[in-house]
Amino acid sequence: MSPKKDQPPASRPQSPTRIPRNLPSHLGTCLRLQKCAMLLELQNCSMEFSEDAILGPTNTAASQQLKDLLAGTVTRGEGNSCFVLGPRGSGKTTIVDRAVASLDQTPIVIRLSGHTELNDRLALREIARQLSLQTGKTYLGELNNDDGQDDDDNPFLDAGPSIDIPPPSHLPALVSALTTLSRPVVVILDAFDLFALHARQALLYCLLDTAQSCRVGQGHNGIAVIGVTTRIDTINLLEKRVKSRFSGRMLRTAAPTEFSFWMKLIERVLRARIEPPEEEWEPLWTLAIDNFIADRKVLEQIQETVAVTHDIRVLQRILVRRLIGVVAALASSSPFPTCAQLISAVHAQRIRDPFPHLSTLPYPSICLLIAAVHAHTAGHDAVTFEMLYDTFREQYRASAAAPIQVAGGSIGMSRCTREGFERLIGERIFICVTASSTSIAPGFARYRSVLTWDDIKKAVDKMGKTSLKKWLTKAQ
């Protein structure tokens, strides 16, 4: 008998060289698992992003300064105030939360938002509610509602201590009592710039005055007022009496700006591994992601997005927005991310052009818009139809290449331009700036154009009429 020949080792599955257009039916489960893995990884990246953002030099300094400030309030009974300024998604809230959590003693934390506390009365009620939950005592509970109705049977009220809306006259008494509580108090005002819009800024005055008058060694606990906002000019919104009681401390935050940081974040989400791994699916998905990342148009879209904003929440919406996001749009007919999906998702997050049809407007309407640009250059922000018509008529006389025709036939110039002006009014391109009156003729009513020179220039360039381009250039 001949000796047995050694069996060759089992060959590994070869990596695919091309990506199928449609997904085989037996890999449908892998696609669903891949989408779940990417969504879970994106959620984890969102939580870890705040940690990475704090590691930057700007946020590290702001975090340390805030911790020192709160330590003085909690341990020594100081009264402090500061602003935490930075763009959206730069880690402001995370820095504040970590600073409060790092304290040796747990303070009473009162969180107010300018988006929900629209006036001082609602803010006062929220302060009393949070104090009741954290101290077990009732504040302002003896007050009655304005309308005198009983809210016991109201199913829309939250369960817990019932706090009626008090009058604003109780605001100084309640705020001044914060330093007499058993523990130090930290007041966090989210969207601080919206509180500055309240009438007389009574809430801000009472809080900052209490913090300023709090002194060490007087037998009271400390208080810290922290304003969180995205507006760097917030201090200019404060009245003089309120600004004089603010300490002037402003802590700035910033999100990572390196493009490589965001690319690593996106690749980490897209390359999330499914459990259990599938031998046929994994090399196919890896090849698709490699091609997606290597696409020049994909890199351009990501670079433009990062140049506009460093908010990770924008990245989340681009990836997971329903029916539009890159991850949400994956299906059996289109199982792998494409550049077209990314472009569609990115454009959905940008401000849409309010007048995308300017280049399709009739010739007289475009002429009136150019005349409005000339009037604005001359110092007239508000114009009338007669002013625009005179400017248009002078240009018509000076140029022989200004045809006024409709359906191949000549028509009266005044009638044509008036119809174009009425169309612009109907499309809200011209906004009336004066009250309507029977004593003012329609041709002399004052209007303001909402378009800029760049908007009209783009429309004229699309139309391709040389005479209009020359006329518009004279308005610079």
Side-chain angles (χ1 to χ4, degrees), residues 23 27 30-31 34 274 278-286 335-336:
L23 189 68
L27 293 180
C30 295
L31 177 60
Q34 186 67 55
I274 63 174
E278 177 65 33
E279 293 183 359
E280 185 178 356
W281 168 259
E282 186 172 352
L284 201 61
W285 180 260
T286 302
F336 305 106

Side-chain angles (χ1 to χ4, degrees), residues 449-465:
S449 174
V450 299
L451 300 178
T452 63
W453 185 87
D454 292 332
D455 297 332
I456 300 176
K457 182 179 183 302
K458 292 178 181 178
V460 172
D461 290 341
K462 288 183 179 180
M463 295 181 67
K465 294 185 178 295

